[in-house]
Amino acid sequence: FRVPCGSETILLVEDDAGVRQVAVEALETLGYTVLVAHDGAEALGVLRRGDRIDLLFSDVVLPGALNGFELAEEARRLRRGLPVLLTSGYAASELQKRRPGAPLEPVLDKPYRREDLASAIRRVLDR
C-alpha cells in the first residue's frame, strides 16, 4: 500500500498544540506545504491574505465564534470552491445532529492515522 502524497498547500486550523504539531508533521512528510491557524478568525485572516491555499483542513470544535462548519462556509465565501476536510473526535452522525440540513462536509474521525489522513486529503482534492 502506497501512501498518497501531494504538493498542495493546506491551511490547518487546530487549537490543540499537541494535535496541531502531529498534524503539521504528518502533512509535511506527505509533501504538503502547511499554513497554520489556531481558530476560525485567524484562519479567515490567512484566507484574506491571498496566499495559495488548496485545501482547508480544520477541526470542527474551535475556540471563538466560528466552528469548523461555519468556517468552511465563510472560507467558501472568500474562495469559491475551496475544498474542505474537517476532523473531529465526535462521530460524524453526532455532528450532523447539531447542524440539521447543513451540507455534510467530509469529516475525518480523530484520532486518525497518517495513512487515513493522506487518503482523505486526496479524496477531497481529487474530486
Side-chain angles (χ1 to χ4, degrees), residues 74-91:
E74 288 297 315
R76 288 206 181 105
R77 283 194 190 102
L78 293 170
R79 301 208 183 182
R80 189 174 313 282
L82 179 68
V84 175
L85 175 63
L86 298 176
T87 185
S88 179
Y90 298 98

Side-chain angles (χ1 to χ4, degrees), residues 23-54:
V24 167
E25 288 172 6
L27 292 167
E28 288 178 344
T29 63
L30 293 168
Y32 298 104
T33 298
V34 183
L35 304 176
V36 176
H38 302 86
D39 60 28
E42 188 177 351
L44 291 176
V46 173
L47 287 160
R48 286 186 185 106
R49 278 195 327 231
D51 300 3
R52 174 184 166 177
I53 297 171
D54 300 297

Side-chain angles (χ1 to χ4, degrees), residues 11 13 39-41 43-44 47 55-60 62 66-87 99 102-107:
L11 173 54
V13 188
D39 60 28
L44 291 176
L47 287 160
L55 174 76
L56 171 64
F57 178 46
S58 176
D59 194 0
V60 171
L62 295 168
L66 296 175
N67 66 36
F69 292 108
E70 294 160 337
L71 173 58
E73 289 172 22
E74 288 297 315
R76 288 206 181 105
R77 283 194 190 102
L78 293 170
R79 301 208 183 182
R80 189 174 313 282
L82 179 68
V84 175
L85 175 63
L86 298 176
T87 185
R99 289 189 43 89
L104 187 58
E105 301 289 350
V107 178

